[in-house]
Amino acid sequence: MSQSQFAQEVHAEQQNLVSSTGSSITAKSSLTRLAAWIDHRKIPFLVTSIGMIVMLLWAGSYKMTAPGAEGIIPLVSNSPLVSWHFRLFGPYVGSDLIGLTEITAAILILAGYLRPKAGILGGLIASVMFFTTSTMLITTPGSTTTVHGIRYMSFIGLFLFKDVISLGVSFYLISYFGKSAIYSENRS
């Protein structure tokens, strides 16, 4: 195959998309061809899933340290959804359990590459965790601050707000792994 034939095939691949209805559509502008190229290589899935796996492994293992446990005490103790957790287990065992849950979700998301249903389960666990921590934005004292009469998110508020985005990523991963699982079920 000559270099120009290869370039033509790549160009054709970049232009052709399959819509959600299964019909083929063509990307005409360079901007939409770029979007098709990114989609075809599954870059959004790879970046979000690898990022989520790394974040959950890192955060989960940190919560199993004394500074990690002590760092989440103000967040957990002010949450009506999970404050019981530290009263029942104490901050160190409670933090270990939270960390173990995060590590489990990461491993399941990673397993989803080979077994999509495991990825769905990992995404579900992550979505419950991130929903819970997203509510801490409302319940944690000091998550907002007032500067010159205007209310802003404080550092802790911004720290917690990333969990709203992570909640969306968790739902995206459930959707992605769900489509893969449906495809596998229908193929069998």
Side-chain angles (χ1 to χ4, degrees):
M1 175 183 299
S2 74
Q3 189 174 4
S4 73
Q5 286 174 321
F6 177 75
Q8 288 174 344
E9 280 187 30
V10 169
H11 182 72
E13 177 186 301
Q14 290 173 346
Q15 285 187 327
N16 292 324
L17 298 169
V18 177
S19 72
S20 59
T21 61
S23 60
S24 183
I25 54 178
T26 302
K28 295 179 178 145
S29 72
S30 49
L31 196 58
T32 55
R33 282 194 307 274
L34 171 64
W37 184 88
I38 289 170
D39 181 63
H40 183 72
R41 280 150 188 82
K42 300 178 182 169
I43 292 172
F45 167 72
L46 292 172
V47 170
T48 57
S49 63
I50 292 168
M52 182 65 76
I53 291 165
V54 169
M55 182 180 69
L56 288 171
L57 288 174
W58 210 338
S61 61
Y62 182 64
K63 284 186 182 74
M64 295 177 155
T65 67
E70 292 161 8
I72 64 170
I73 289 172
L75 305 175
V76 173
S77 60
N78 286 296
S79 170
L81 298 177
V82 290
S83 57
W84 62 269
H85 186 78
F86 275 15
R87 285 194 303 274
L88 184 62
F89 299 110
Y92 296 102
V93 172
S95 186
D96 285 350
L97 292 172
I98 293 169
L100 185 61
T101 303
E102 290 175 334
I103 290 169
T104 301
I107 291 169
L108 287 168
I109 291 168
L110 182 61
Y113 281 71
L114 300 174
R115 302 273 189 223
K117 288 182 181 179
I120 296 170
L121 186 55
L124 282 170
I125 292 168
S127 65
V128 169
M129 287 184 327
F130 291 122
F131 171 78
T132 302
T133 55
S134 292
T135 65
M136 292 177 188
L137 188 60
I138 300 165
T139 62
T140 302
S143 61
T144 60
T145 187
T146 303
V147 178
H148 302 297
I150 300 173
R151 203 125 186 91
Y152 295 97
M153 276 192 225
S154 66
F155 178 76
I156 192 72
L158 292 169
F159 170 77
L160 289 168
F161 192 77
K162 69 155 176 34
D163 288 356
V164 174
I165 298 163
S166 296
L167 176 62
V169 170
S170 300
F171 285 132
Y172 168 74
L173 292 174
I174 292 168
S175 171
Y176 184 92
F177 287 124
K179 288 176 187 174
S180 295
I182 290 166
Y183 177 76
S184 294
E185 288 175 349
N186 290 331
R187 199 177 49 180
S188 316

